[in-house]
Amino acid sequence: FDPLSAILQFGEKMGQIPRVLSWRNMLVLSLAINFSLILKILKGDRERVDSWDRTAYVSIWPVVSTTASGSSSLSSASCNYSKIEEDDDRTINLKFGDPMVYERYWQENGEVTTMVIPGWQSLSYFSDENNLCWFLEPELGKEIVRVHKVVGNAVTQDRFIVVGTGSTQLYQAALYALSPHDDSGPINVVSTAPYYSSYPLITDCLKSGLYRWGGDAKTYKEDGPYIELVTSPNNPDGFLRESVVNSSKGILIHDLAYYWPQYTPITSAADHDVMLFTASKSTGHAGMRIGWALVKDRETARKMIEYIELNTIGVSKDSQLRVAKVLKVVSDSCGNETAKSFFDHSYDAMYERWKLLKQAAKDTKRFSVPDFASQRCNFFGRVFEPQPAFAWFKCGEEIVDCEKFLREEKKILTKSGKHFGDELSYVRISMLDRDTNFNIFLHRISSSSNSTL
């Protein structure tokens, strides 16, 4: 096909080629037309390549399906640690709880959470001047109440919602609000070991005159007021917790970051004075840095808000709007009978990982993970065992320092039990990393035997 000849023939027949067009003009026009045809061909090839790339990318992620009996399974191409090609030069980092296990779900459903924020939006410090928490976006407040109602994991009626930059800031705000602001000295803050490793660091980082880290709640014997942190399900071991210090002078903060149905059966709606939640572990959006507290007492909520005012003068509106959109999608999915909900998908992923980890530990007999009691989940309407976001992993007696052994012998980075107030034989391992890393981890621990010592 010659575009120039076609144009000349058409022009001769129609008598419509302007005389102002010289042969040079026509040559340029011909080149332009040919160039556009080349671009179109290349674009078609690129679309075919892109399609192949997407297919290849998706193929490395497990396809979670549910059998007729209701049990979940993964495709044979994924989470099969016996067939993973080992990369001996690669170090696997399972030290942190980066929730990348949720990435595939949000890639497949990304359009419904995509939003455009105009440049003129979010200029003001204020979101709702009539709300006690004046920097809380009304849309986020509405979706927080809705998702807790859908899941049934927390009471929201007659509660003040305080939004923070992740649950870490809310924890600091709660300490500020609940500590005595007089000359009585810093109040002790305790939690039952193994406790979240960041609690001592966050509590003492500013060397505040209001509060200080007081250690393991099981061994705490001092008189006077104290603050006890109750993390349930617990980080790192995944067990449900209650307060252990038996004193009427105690003030409780409940960290419920993992009280969601993909991790543990929802047996009742939590009803405590101060309850902390976060988007990072509920939906996997750690990078948005949004958490929220449900607070019963108005004065406590006011002081928490005062701390956030002094600390960051509010919380990013853009992040709040994104989390509100995500929570809406999560709640909507729970009422969708034609597709798996977010929590169904997340439950299946965690179920499969824990099944494989337990089998690997059983086969090697060198490592162990906790045993959990099954309970009925009101959200799913069935009985199952907790499947926490972290594995509290214990090495056998022949391994003195579990973290060192896994790092040096298996090139797996973990967090030692000493950071959680426990023994060196324990490590915390994230169950939330990408499948590729998790599969290699399973392969490496399953290849261990007593003869390799």
mmCIF file of all heavy atoms in Angstrom, residues 78-115:
data_model
loop_
_atom_site.group_PDB
_atom_site.id
_atom_site.type_symbol
_atom_site.label_atom_id
_atom_site.label_comp_id
_atom_site.label_asym_id
_atom_site.label_seq_id
_atom_site.Cartn_x
_atom_site.Cartn_y
_atom_site.Cartn_z
ATOM 1 N N SER A 78 1.951 -22.601 42.900
ATOM 2 C CA SER A 78 2.312 -21.654 43.951
ATOM 3 C C SER A 78 2.366 -22.339 45.295
ATOM 4 O O SER A 78 1.725 -23.343 45.544
ATOM 5 C CB SER A 78 1.289 -20.513 43.987
ATOM 6 O OG SER A 78 0.029 -21.030 44.326
ATOM 7 N N CYS A 79 3.164 -21.765 46.202
ATOM 8 C CA CYS A 79 3.299 -22.273 47.556
ATOM 9 C C CYS A 79 3.651 -23.763 47.587
ATOM 10 O O CYS A 79 3.283 -24.459 48.519
ATOM 11 C CB CYS A 79 2.019 -22.008 48.368
ATOM 12 S SG CYS A 79 1.853 -20.304 48.870
ATOM 13 N N ASN A 80 4.335 -24.233 46.553
ATOM 14 C CA ASN A 80 4.802 -25.609 46.562
ATOM 15 C C ASN A 80 6.283 -25.584 46.870
ATOM 16 O O ASN A 80 7.124 -25.551 45.978
ATOM 17 C CB ASN A 80 4.528 -26.250 45.194
ATOM 18 C CG ASN A 80 4.777 -27.755 45.221
ATOM 19 O OD1 ASN A 80 5.431 -28.269 46.118
ATOM 20 N ND2 ASN A 80 4.243 -28.444 44.224
ATOM 21 N N TYR A 81 6.608 -25.587 48.147
ATOM 22 C CA TYR A 81 7.987 -25.349 48.536
ATOM 23 C C TYR A 81 8.914 -26.487 48.147
ATOM 24 O O TYR A 81 10.115 -26.322 48.114
ATOM 25 C CB TYR A 81 8.108 -25.050 50.031
ATOM 26 C CG TYR A 81 7.597 -26.134 50.947
ATOM 27 C CD1 TYR A 81 8.424 -27.165 51.342
ATOM 28 C CD2 TYR A 81 6.296 -26.091 51.427
ATOM 29 C CE1 TYR A 81 7.968 -28.143 52.197
ATOM 30 C CE2 TYR A 81 5.843 -27.078 52.279
ATOM 31 C CZ TYR A 81 6.673 -28.100 52.659
ATOM 32 O OH TYR A 81 6.212 -29.062 53.505
ATOM 33 N N SER A 82 8.377 -27.656 47.818
ATOM 34 C CA SER A 82 9.231 -28.768 47.424
ATOM 35 C C SER A 82 9.755 -28.609 46.006
ATOM 36 O O SER A 82 10.681 -29.306 45.603
ATOM 37 C CB SER A 82 8.450 -30.088 47.529
ATOM 38 O OG SER A 82 7.358 -30.083 46.621
ATOM 39 N N LYS A 83 9.187 -27.686 45.247
ATOM 40 C CA LYS A 83 9.609 -27.510 43.869
ATOM 41 C C LYS A 83 10.231 -26.145 43.606
ATOM 42 O O LYS A 83 10.506 -25.802 42.470
ATOM 43 C CB LYS A 83 8.413 -27.708 42.929
ATOM 44 C CG LYS A 83 7.850 -29.124 42.958
ATOM 45 C CD LYS A 83 6.708 -29.281 41.969
ATOM 46 C CE LYS A 83 6.148 -30.702 42.004
ATOM 47 N NZ LYS A 83 5.016 -30.849 41.036
ATOM 48 N N ILE A 84 10.440 -25.366 44.658
ATOM 49 C CA ILE A 84 11.042 -24.046 44.485
ATOM 50 C C ILE A 84 12.509 -24.188 44.091
ATOM 51 O O ILE A 84 13.235 -24.987 44.655
ATOM 52 C CB ILE A 84 10.921 -23.230 45.788
ATOM 53 C CG1 ILE A 84 9.473 -22.793 45.991
ATOM 54 C CG2 ILE A 84 11.823 -22.009 45.768
ATOM 55 C CD1 ILE A 84 8.989 -21.781 44.990
ATOM 56 N N GLU A 85 12.934 -23.416 43.116
ATOM 57 C CA GLU A 85 14.345 -23.383 42.764
ATOM 58 C C GLU A 85 15.066 -22.487 43.765
ATOM 59 O O GLU A 85 14.823 -21.291 43.812
ATOM 60 C CB GLU A 85 14.535 -22.859 41.340
ATOM 61 C CG GLU A 85 13.985 -23.799 40.277
ATOM 62 C CD GLU A 85 14.255 -23.279 38.892
ATOM 63 O OE1 GLU A 85 14.937 -22.242 38.763
ATOM 64 O OE2 GLU A 85 13.793 -23.904 37.923
ATOM 65 N N GLU A 86 15.963 -23.095 44.539
ATOM 66 C CA GLU A 86 16.641 -22.367 45.606
ATOM 67 C C GLU A 86 17.677 -21.405 45.048
ATOM 68 O O GLU A 86 18.448 -21.743 44.164
ATOM 69 C CB GLU A 86 17.309 -23.365 46.552
ATOM 70 C CG GLU A 86 17.998 -22.726 47.734
ATOM 71 C CD GLU A 86 17.024 -22.196 48.754
ATOM 72 O OE1 GLU A 86 15.812 -22.398 48.583
ATOM 73 O OE2 GLU A 86 17.466 -21.568 49.725
ATOM 74 N N ASP A 87 17.679 -20.174 45.569
ATOM 75 C CA ASP A 87 18.694 -19.175 45.227
ATOM 76 C C ASP A 87 19.573 -19.002 46.464
ATOM 77 O O ASP A 87 19.217 -18.298 47.392
ATOM 78 C CB ASP A 87 18.028 -17.860 44.820
ATOM 79 C CG ASP A 87 19.033 -16.784 44.465
ATOM 80 O OD1 ASP A 87 20.247 -17.068 44.465
ATOM 81 O OD2 ASP A 87 18.606 -15.657 44.189
ATOM 82 N N ASP A 88 20.722 -19.670 46.489
ATOM 83 C CA ASP A 88 21.558 -19.674 47.675
ATOM 84 C C ASP A 88 22.160 -18.312 47.999
ATOM 85 O O ASP A 88 22.625 -18.084 49.112
ATOM 86 C CB ASP A 88 22.689 -20.698 47.516
ATOM 87 C CG ASP A 88 22.153 -22.114 47.501
ATOM 88 O OD1 ASP A 88 21.099 -22.335 48.098
ATOM 89 O OD2 ASP A 88 22.788 -22.978 46.865
ATOM 90 N N ASP A 89 22.181 -17.427 47.015
ATOM 91 C CA ASP A 89 22.803 -16.120 47.234
ATOM 92 C C ASP A 89 21.806 -15.066 47.705
ATOM 93 O O ASP A 89 22.177 -13.929 47.959
ATOM 94 C CB ASP A 89 23.474 -15.633 45.939
ATOM 95 C CG ASP A 89 24.645 -16.512 45.545
ATOM 96 O OD1 ASP A 89 25.304 -17.029 46.464
ATOM 97 O OD2 ASP A 89 24.871 -16.693 44.345
ATOM 98 N N ARG A 90 20.558 -15.446 47.837
ATOM 99 C CA ARG A 90 19.527 -14.469 48.167
ATOM 100 C C ARG A 90 19.161 -14.550 49.639
ATOM 101 O O ARG A 90 18.873 -15.628 50.165
ATOM 102 C CB ARG A 90 18.289 -14.726 47.313
ATOM 103 C CG ARG A 90 17.158 -13.759 47.577
ATOM 104 C CD ARG A 90 15.987 -14.066 46.675
ATOM 105 N NE ARG A 90 14.872 -13.193 46.980
ATOM 106 C CZ ARG A 90 13.649 -13.316 46.466
ATOM 107 N NH1 ARG A 90 13.397 -14.273 45.614
ATOM 108 N NH2 ARG A 90 12.696 -12.480 46.806
ATOM 109 N N THR A 91 19.179 -13.405 50.305
ATOM 110 C CA THR A 91 18.758 -13.341 51.706
ATOM 111 C C THR A 91 17.283 -12.971 51.768
ATOM 112 O O THR A 91 16.849 -11.998 51.143
ATOM 113 C CB THR A 91 19.591 -12.305 52.484
ATOM 114 O OG1 THR A 91 20.961 -12.711 52.483
ATOM 115 C CG2 THR A 91 19.102 -12.186 53.914
ATOM 116 N N ILE A 92 16.515 -13.743 52.506
ATOM 117 C CA ILE A 92 15.075 -13.515 52.644
ATOM 118 C C ILE A 92 14.822 -12.748 53.936
ATOM 119 O O ILE A 92 15.205 -13.198 55.016
ATOM 120 C CB ILE A 92 14.303 -14.846 52.655
ATOM 121 C CG1 ILE A 92 14.618 -15.664 51.403
ATOM 122 C CG2 ILE A 92 12.801 -14.578 52.756
ATOM 123 C CD1 ILE A 92 14.304 -14.946 50.123
ATOM 124 N N ASN A 93 14.182 -11.592 53.828
ATOM 125 C CA ASN A 93 13.937 -10.749 54.997
ATOM 126 C C ASN A 93 12.490 -10.899 55.463
ATOM 127 O O ASN A 93 11.569 -10.351 54.849
ATOM 128 C CB ASN A 93 14.229 -9.283 54.666
ATOM 129 C CG ASN A 93 14.258 -8.404 55.913
ATOM 130 O OD1 ASN A 93 13.783 -8.798 56.970
ATOM 131 N ND2 ASN A 93 14.821 -7.220 55.794
ATOM 132 N N LEU A 94 12.307 -11.646 56.538
ATOM 133 C CA LEU A 94 10.983 -11.808 57.148
ATOM 134 C C LEU A 94 10.959 -11.194 58.541
ATOM 135 O O LEU A 94 10.224 -11.620 59.421
ATOM 136 C CB LEU A 94 10.626 -13.301 57.219
ATOM 137 C CG LEU A 94 10.557 -14.027 55.876
ATOM 138 C CD1 LEU A 94 10.241 -15.494 56.086
ATOM 139 C CD2 LEU A 94 9.522 -13.387 54.962
ATOM 140 N N LYS A 95 11.786 -10.160 58.705
ATOM 141 C CA LYS A 95 11.939 -9.510 60.000
ATOM 142 C C LYS A 95 10.790 -8.562 60.311
ATOM 143 O O LYS A 95 10.416 -8.367 61.466
ATOM 144 C CB LYS A 95 13.270 -8.750 59.992
ATOM 145 C CG LYS A 95 13.732 -8.235 61.327
ATOM 146 C CD LYS A 95 15.139 -7.652 61.210
ATOM 147 C CE LYS A 95 15.685 -7.206 62.548
ATOM 148 N NZ LYS A 95 17.062 -6.669 62.435
ATOM 149 N N PHE A 96 10.242 -7.945 59.281
ATOM 150 C CA PHE A 96 9.213 -6.923 59.480
ATOM 151 C C PHE A 96 7.861 -7.419 58.981
ATOM 152 O O PHE A 96 7.787 -8.329 58.161
ATOM 153 C CB PHE A 96 9.608 -5.641 58.752
ATOM 154 C CG PHE A 96 10.980 -5.145 59.109
ATOM 155 C CD1 PHE A 96 12.042 -5.265 58.226
ATOM 156 C CD2 PHE A 96 11.227 -4.582 60.350
ATOM 157 C CE1 PHE A 96 13.306 -4.827 58.555
ATOM 158 C CE2 PHE A 96 12.492 -4.143 60.696
ATOM 159 C CZ PHE A 96 13.536 -4.267 59.795
ATOM 160 N N GLY A 97 6.824 -6.783 59.458
ATOM 161 C CA GLY A 97 5.472 -7.187 59.080
ATOM 162 C C GLY A 97 4.931 -6.406 57.901
ATOM 163 O O GLY A 97 3.789 -5.943 57.943
ATOM 164 N N ASP A 98 5.730 -6.266 56.847
ATOM 165 C CA ASP A 98 5.282 -5.520 55.668
ATOM 166 C C ASP A 98 4.183 -6.327 54.968
ATOM 167 O O ASP A 98 4.445 -7.423 54.460
ATOM 168 C CB ASP A 98 6.464 -5.301 54.732
ATOM 169 C CG ASP A 98 6.282 -4.083 53.843
ATOM 170 O OD1 ASP A 98 5.489 -3.198 54.203
ATOM 171 O OD2 ASP A 98 6.945 -4.016 52.786
ATOM 172 N N PRO A 99 2.952 -5.811 54.889
ATOM 173 C CA PRO A 99 1.810 -6.632 54.476
ATOM 174 C C PRO A 99 1.658 -6.794 52.958
ATOM 175 O O PRO A 99 0.619 -6.495 52.372
ATOM 176 C CB PRO A 99 0.620 -5.865 55.066
ATOM 177 C CG PRO A 99 1.056 -4.436 55.042
ATOM 178 C CD PRO A 99 2.542 -4.456 55.303
ATOM 179 N N MET A 100 2.702 -7.310 52.296
ATOM 180 C CA MET A 100 2.663 -7.448 50.847
ATOM 181 C C MET A 100 1.842 -8.647 50.379
ATOM 182 O O MET A 100 1.615 -8.810 49.184
ATOM 183 C CB MET A 100 4.089 -7.547 50.303
ATOM 184 C CG MET A 100 4.946 -6.316 50.586
ATOM 185 S SD MET A 100 4.138 -4.772 50.098
ATOM 186 C CE MET A 100 4.049 -4.994 48.328
ATOM 187 N N VAL A 101 1.387 -9.478 51.304
ATOM 188 C CA VAL A 101 0.520 -10.586 50.939
ATOM 189 C C VAL A 101 -0.782 -10.082 50.313
ATOM 190 O O VAL A 101 -1.433 -10.782 49.539
ATOM 191 C CB VAL A 101 0.216 -11.467 52.174
ATOM 192 C CG1 VAL A 101 -0.606 -10.713 53.193
ATOM 193 C CG2 VAL A 101 -0.494 -12.756 51.762
ATOM 194 N N TYR A 102 -1.154 -8.833 50.625
ATOM 195 C CA TYR A 102 -2.388 -8.270 50.104
ATOM 196 C C TYR A 102 -2.223 -7.622 48.729
ATOM 197 O O TYR A 102 -3.196 -7.165 48.140
ATOM 198 C CB TYR A 102 -2.943 -7.217 51.075
ATOM 199 C CG TYR A 102 -3.276 -7.764 52.436
ATOM 200 C CD1 TYR A 102 -2.465 -7.507 53.539
ATOM 201 C CD2 TYR A 102 -4.394 -8.561 52.633
ATOM 202 C CE1 TYR A 102 -2.762 -8.014 54.786
ATOM 203 C CE2 TYR A 102 -4.703 -9.076 53.879
ATOM 204 C CZ TYR A 102 -3.887 -8.804 54.951
ATOM 205 O OH TYR A 102 -4.182 -9.314 56.181
ATOM 206 N N GLU A 103 -1.015 -7.550 48.241
ATOM 207 C CA GLU A 103 -0.744 -6.811 47.010
ATOM 208 C C GLU A 103 -1.547 -7.343 45.822
ATOM 209 O O GLU A 103 -2.116 -6.575 45.048
ATOM 210 C CB GLU A 103 0.753 -6.865 46.692
ATOM 211 C CG GLU A 103 1.152 -6.052 45.471
ATOM 212 C CD GLU A 103 2.648 -6.115 45.221
ATOM 213 O OE1 GLU A 103 3.227 -7.228 45.252
ATOM 214 O OE2 GLU A 103 3.254 -5.057 44.997
ATOM 215 N N ARG A 104 -1.574 -8.659 45.673
ATOM 216 C CA ARG A 104 -2.252 -9.227 44.499
ATOM 217 C C ARG A 104 -3.741 -8.896 44.502
ATOM 218 O O ARG A 104 -4.323 -8.582 43.461
ATOM 219 C CB ARG A 104 -2.044 -10.750 44.448
ATOM 220 C CG ARG A 104 -2.692 -11.391 43.225
ATOM 221 C CD ARG A 104 -2.259 -12.849 43.094
ATOM 222 N NE ARG A 104 -2.616 -13.627 44.265
ATOM 223 C CZ ARG A 104 -3.804 -14.215 44.413
ATOM 224 N NH1 ARG A 104 -4.745 -14.085 43.492
ATOM 225 N NH2 ARG A 104 -4.066 -14.932 45.485
ATOM 226 N N TYR A 105 -4.366 -8.977 45.680
ATOM 227 C CA TYR A 105 -5.804 -8.673 45.743
ATOM 228 C C TYR A 105 -6.079 -7.256 45.282
ATOM 229 O O TYR A 105 -7.001 -7.010 44.490
ATOM 230 C CB TYR A 105 -6.324 -8.862 47.169
ATOM 231 C CG TYR A 105 -7.794 -8.521 47.309
ATOM 232 C CD1 TYR A 105 -8.767 -9.471 47.042
ATOM 233 C CD2 TYR A 105 -8.199 -7.240 47.687
ATOM 234 C CE1 TYR A 105 -10.112 -9.165 47.151
ATOM 235 C CE2 TYR A 105 -9.540 -6.918 47.801
ATOM 236 C CZ TYR A 105 -10.502 -7.883 47.534
ATOM 237 O OH TYR A 105 -11.831 -7.564 47.630
ATOM 238 N N TRP A 106 -5.276 -6.301 45.742
ATOM 239 C CA TRP A 106 -5.517 -4.907 45.392
ATOM 240 C C TRP A 106 -5.086 -4.597 43.962
ATOM 241 O O TRP A 106 -5.610 -3.659 43.347
ATOM 242 C CB TRP A 106 -4.843 -3.980 46.395
ATOM 243 C CG TRP A 106 -5.478 -4.073 47.750
ATOM 244 C CD1 TRP A 106 -4.928 -4.547 48.894
ATOM 245 C CD2 TRP A 106 -6.830 -3.732 48.087
ATOM 246 N NE1 TRP A 106 -5.834 -4.515 49.923
ATOM 247 C CE2 TRP A 106 -7.015 -4.010 49.453
ATOM 248 C CE3 TRP A 106 -7.905 -3.204 47.359
ATOM 249 C CZ2 TRP A 106 -8.219 -3.786 50.120
ATOM 250 C CZ3 TRP A 106 -9.105 -2.978 48.026
ATOM 251 C CH2 TRP A 106 -9.255 -3.267 49.385
ATOM 252 N N GLN A 107 -4.171 -5.390 43.409
ATOM 253 C CA GLN A 107 -3.861 -5.241 41.989
ATOM 254 C C GLN A 107 -5.049 -5.665 41.136
ATOM 255 O O GLN A 107 -5.397 -5.010 40.162
ATOM 256 C CB GLN A 107 -2.629 -6.078 41.625
ATOM 257 C CG GLN A 107 -1.313 -5.474 42.082
ATOM 258 C CD GLN A 107 -0.144 -6.393 41.816
ATOM 259 O OE1 GLN A 107 -0.296 -7.608 41.715
ATOM 260 N NE2 GLN A 107 1.039 -5.813 41.712
ATOM 261 N N GLU A 108 -5.672 -6.754 41.536
ATOM 262 C CA GLU A 108 -6.814 -7.253 40.775
ATOM 263 C C GLU A 108 -8.052 -6.389 40.954
ATOM 264 O O GLU A 108 -8.951 -6.395 40.109
ATOM 265 C CB GLU A 108 -7.127 -8.690 41.200
ATOM 266 C CG GLU A 108 -6.019 -9.683 40.843
ATOM 267 C CD GLU A 108 -6.287 -11.075 41.392
ATOM 268 O OE1 GLU A 108 -7.283 -11.220 42.140
ATOM 269 O OE2 GLU A 108 -5.524 -11.992 41.075
ATOM 270 N N ASN A 109 -8.121 -5.644 42.036
ATOM 271 C CA ASN A 109 -9.286 -4.799 42.321
ATOM 272 C C ASN A 109 -8.901 -3.328 42.414
ATOM 273 O O ASN A 109 -9.593 -2.543 43.074
ATOM 274 C CB ASN A 109 -9.943 -5.244 43.629
ATOM 275 C CG ASN A 109 -10.472 -6.663 43.563
ATOM 276 O OD1 ASN A 109 -11.591 -6.899 43.127
ATOM 277 N ND2 ASN A 109 -9.654 -7.624 43.985
ATOM 278 N N GLY A 110 -7.810 -2.976 41.762
ATOM 279 C CA GLY A 110 -7.266 -1.630 41.922
ATOM 280 C C GLY A 110 -8.156 -0.509 41.429
ATOM 281 O O GLY A 110 -8.154 0.589 41.992
ATOM 282 N N GLU A 111 -8.914 -0.778 40.371
ATOM 283 C CA GLU A 111 -9.718 0.290 39.791
ATOM 284 C C GLU A 111 -10.776 0.812 40.758
ATOM 285 O O GLU A 111 -11.078 2.008 40.763
ATOM 286 C CB GLU A 111 -10.381 -0.206 38.494
ATOM 287 C CG GLU A 111 -9.399 -0.461 37.362
ATOM 288 C CD GLU A 111 -8.610 0.775 36.995
ATOM 289 O OE1 GLU A 111 -9.203 1.867 36.940
ATOM 290 O OE2 GLU A 111 -7.388 0.656 36.784
ATOM 291 N N VAL A 112 -11.325 -0.058 41.565
ATOM 292 C CA VAL A 112 -12.412 0.369 42.450
ATOM 293 C C VAL A 112 -11.908 1.242 43.589
ATOM 294 O O VAL A 112 -12.695 1.942 44.230
ATOM 295 C CB VAL A 112 -13.173 -0.838 43.027
ATOM 296 C CG1 VAL A 112 -13.933 -1.567 41.934
ATOM 297 C CG2 VAL A 112 -12.224 -1.783 43.746
ATOM 298 N N THR A 113 -10.603 1.202 43.848
ATOM 299 C CA THR A 113 -10.055 2.050 44.916
ATOM 300 C C THR A 113 -9.253 3.223 44.363
ATOM 301 O O THR A 113 -8.702 4.003 45.126
ATOM 302 C CB THR A 113 -9.141 1.241 45.851
ATOM 303 O OG1 THR A 113 -8.111 0.609 45.080
ATOM 304 C CG2 THR A 113 -9.932 0.186 46.589
ATOM 305 N N THR A 114 -9.208 3.349 43.056
ATOM 306 C CA THR A 114 -8.484 4.464 42.446
ATOM 307 C C THR A 114 -9.288 5.748 42.621
ATOM 308 O O THR A 114 -10.507 5.761 42.430
ATOM 309 C CB THR A 114 -8.244 4.207 40.946
ATOM 310 O OG1 THR A 114 -7.452 3.015 40.816
ATOM 311 C CG2 THR A 114 -7.519 5.370 40.294
ATOM 312 N N MET A 115 -8.601 6.816 42.973
ATOM 313 C CA MET A 115 -9.288 8.088 43.146
ATOM 314 C C MET A 115 -8.392 9.230 42.691
ATOM 315 O O MET A 115 -7.162 9.114 42.688
ATOM 316 C CB MET A 115 -9.703 8.290 44.605
ATOM 317 C CG MET A 115 -8.557 8.335 45.594
ATOM 318 S SD MET A 115 -9.126 8.397 47.313
ATOM 319 C CE MET A 115 -10.161 9.852 47.296
#
